């Protein structure tokens, strides 16, 4: 098992994290195993999070997948909340204050900012990767690019 040291917020070395993630997922392609492992990796390695995990596309809804953090909402219709907006638009949602986001679904009152990356394989929406933080404006443009890169490593190394 690779040695994991958590980064401090703002000091995440995303190229290094991408290399670590490649090593972590190198010997396994099972979706549930890799999604669970990736959630734990993000929760350990990215500073100042209170939730990290997956919502998976099932018809016109997102359904809760592997995650780390408190218990969460199970089903989110496309278009609803931050996760639903990412699924409906196919665009990453980087929200500095979730309480100012129309339709935000407050699963955990500790969450104040959120980053949601839609996941695609061959043009098909698999679901979204959701990161929540107790801090306002936790996620910078650099964090968005870094997390999108890690999500791409996960999709490439996993049977989806
Ligand atoms: N706040 C999210 C719901 C998912 S939880 O944060 C885990 C949203 O509005 O999409």
């Amino acid at each position: 098992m690779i040695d994991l040291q958590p980064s401090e917020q703002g000091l995440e070395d995303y190229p290094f994290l991408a290399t670590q993630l490649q090593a972590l997922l190198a010997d396994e392609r099972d979706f549930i195993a890799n999604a669970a492992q990736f959630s734990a990796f993000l929760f350990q390695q990215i500073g100042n999070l209170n939730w990290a995990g997956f919502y998976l596309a099932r018809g016109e809804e997102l359904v809760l997948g592997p995650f780390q953090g408190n218990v969460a909402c199970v089903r989110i219709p496309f278009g609803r909340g931050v996760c639903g907006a990412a699924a409906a638009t196919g665009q990453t949602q980087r929200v500095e204050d979730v309480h100012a986001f129309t339709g935000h679904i407050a699963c955990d009152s500790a969450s104040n900012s959120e980053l949601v990356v839609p996941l695609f394989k061959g043009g098909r929406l698999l679901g979204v990767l959701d990161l929540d933080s107790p801090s306002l404006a936790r996620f910078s443009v650099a964090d968005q690019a870094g997390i999108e890169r890690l999500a791409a490593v996960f999709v490439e190394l996993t049977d989806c």
Side-chain angles (χ1 to χ4, degrees):
M1 184 53 62
I2 61 172
D3 184 30
L4 299 177
Q5 299 292 331
S7 324
E8 271 181 57
Q9 181 183 334
L11 296 178
E12 286 86 4
D13 179 347
Y14 285 104
F16 177 64
L17 291 173
T19 303
Q20 280 192 318
L21 182 63
Q22 278 163 343
L24 190 64
L25 303 184
D27 297 330
E28 182 57 64
R29 293 199 62 89
D30 181 83
F31 183 85
I32 293 176
N34 282 3
Q37 193 78 303
F38 185 28
S39 301
F41 177 82
L42 290 167
F43 203 65
Q44 275 181 259
Q45 296 297 95
I46 309 293
N48 201 15
L49 299 183
N50 62 310
W51 205 91
F54 289 82
Y55 279 92
L56 304 174
R58 299 282 184 262
E60 292 298 302
E61 275 184 330
L62 294 166
V63 180
L64 184 64
F67 71 94
Q68 298 272 309
N70 286 351
V71 295
C73 320
V74 175
R75 290 180 185 269
I76 299 175
F78 284 10
R80 179 117 192 275
V82 185
C83 292
T89 62
Q91 307 276 319
T92 296
Q93 305 291 306
R94 189 170 61 86
V95 179
E96 298 198 335
D97 178 358
V98 293
H99 307 290
F101 189 96
T102 307
H104 166 247
I105 304 162
C107 289
D108 184 343
S109 60
S111 299
N112 280 311
S113 62
E114 186 160 357
L115 182 72
V116 183
V117 177
L119 304 172
F120 290 93
K121 187 126 186 177
R124 180 173 56 92
L125 179 73
L126 305 171
V128 303
L129 179 67
D130 182 15
L131 273 62
D132 288 18
S133 172
S135 295
L136 289 166
R138 159 66 184 84
F139 304 102
S140 65
V141 171
D143 290 309
Q144 176 177 340
I147 299 294
E148 287 173 344
R149 178 172 178 171
L150 297 178
V153 168
F154 164 79
V155 169
E156 189 194 328
L157 296 183
T158 302
D159 290 335
C160 303

